[in-house]
Amino acid sequence: MSEPLLQVEKVRKVFTTGSENLEVLKEISFSTPSGNVVVITGQSGCGKSTLLHLIGGLDAVTEGFIRVGEMVVSEMGEGDLTLYRRKTLGFIFQLHLLLKEFTALENVAIPALICGVPKAEAFHRASHLLSLVGLSGRLRHFPQELSGGERQRVAVARALMNDPLLILADEPTGNLDEGNARIVQEQLFSLVREYRKTLILVTHDRELAKEGDQRFLLQEGVLHPL
């Protein structure tokens, strides 16, 4: 294996409520090189989303460290974390989280516009990405004018907008029927492979899980290789 892009080392996460401590993750360790697809499965509530949030800098580890490239995410301050999330990561959630007042094209372009990319350049790239997910005819449509599968394909395009090193996907097909789920699955993996992106995906979908270069089961806070 080449030098890892992502390294998670002995990560614990404990949530404290009143006088009660709940250990959700117990010394989680794994690494993956650039271009790999890592799939993590497990029952609902087992901590899969929590692990993604820690990698994404959306929550803080209790113990251990997380490194992406040369960046030690678990030691960053909020300012550096904001830049890390904007420039290094692409997020795909179970709910598409598109902004309803913006078109598909504008929703995809927003991450680049936030980073100061000129509008014409951002819209050109957004248009190209939407064409890659089969939505070239839906650029001017608002989220409420798109089907559930189309909205999630917009979310896939948006995740790639800033050419991230790492894409984090949390149950990306969880809200879709089987037909739309397979379309989103095929397009996501096709784009990830084409652009050689590293993807960390959590899912309960067994078909989706088969696509991983590395596969893990998260159970009772412990990560088991599959």
Side-chain angles (χ1 to χ4, degrees):
M1 222 182 228
S2 60
E3 183 72 17
L5 172 72
L6 168 66
Q7 184 177 3
V8 177
E9 188 69 27
K10 294 185 178 180
V11 164
R12 293 180 65 238
K13 181 61 182 179
V14 178
F15 291 101
T16 301
T17 305
S19 59
E20 184 179 356
N21 291 327
L22 176 63
E23 187 177 29
V24 177
L25 301 175
K26 303 174 182 178
E27 294 200 352
I28 300 292
S29 295
F30 75 95
S31 63
T32 194
S34 180
N36 255 22
V37 173
V38 178
V39 178
I40 300 170
T41 62
Q43 293 183 346
S44 179
C46 71
K48 303 188 301 297
S49 294
T50 297
L51 179 55
L52 271 197
H53 290 171
L54 297 178
I55 296 170
L58 299 171
D59 200 356
V61 304
T62 302
E63 290 181 13
F65 78 89
I66 296 171
R67 180 177 60 81
V68 176
E70 299 301 319
M71 298 169 286
V72 182
V73 180
S74 49
E75 296 178 1
M76 287 181 177
E78 192 52 48
D80 287 336
L81 283 172
T82 297
L83 291 175
Y84 163 70
R85 289 190 291 264
R86 285 180 182 174
K87 297 185 176 182
T88 305
L89 301 181
F91 288 98
I92 307 170
F93 298 101
Q94 183 172 350
L95 297 175
H96 54 80
L97 301 181
L98 301 180
L99 300 175
K100 64 181 181 180
E101 63 269 31
F102 294 103
T103 64
L105 181 66
E106 290 167 336
N107 266 285
V108 174
I110 282 171
L113 296 172
I114 289 173
C115 289
V117 174
K119 186 175 179 179
E121 181 182 339
F123 275 46
H124 177 75
R125 177 166 172 77
S127 178
H128 175 65
L129 288 169
L130 284 167
S131 72
L132 293 179
V133 296
L135 294 177
S136 57
R138 311 288 272 171
L139 304 184
R140 307 296 176 185
H141 288 67
F142 291 90
Q144 59 270 28
E145 298 173 320
L146 302 173
S147 70
E150 288 172 335
R151 289 194 289 265
Q152 200 64 340
R153 284 148 66 188
V154 174
V156 170
R158 180 182 58 188
L160 287 161
M161 185 64 204
N162 281 346
D163 195 24
L165 290 176
L166 183 63
I167 296 174
L168 305 179
D170 190 353
E171 297 281 9
T173 63
N175 274 357
L176 303 178
D177 60 68
E178 185 175 350
N180 276 308
R182 293 302 154 246
I183 292 171
V184 171
Q185 171 187 332
E186 289 170 7
Q187 291 180 337
L188 172 60
F189 284 113
S190 174
L191 288 169
V192 164
R193 302 291 189 195
E194 180 179 350
Y195 287 100
R196 290 199 49 79
K197 297 302 176 186
T198 305
L199 172 65
I200 313 297
L201 183 148
V202 303
T203 184
H204 63 270
D205 185 328
R206 293 184 180 182
E207 289 301 312
L208 201 57
K210 292 177 182 177
E211 298 289 338
D213 300 308
Q214 295 170 261
R215 293 180 291 164
F216 298 94
L217 171 67
L218 185 57
Q219 189 173 45
E220 296 182 353
V222 179
L223 200 63
H224 305 275
L226 292 176

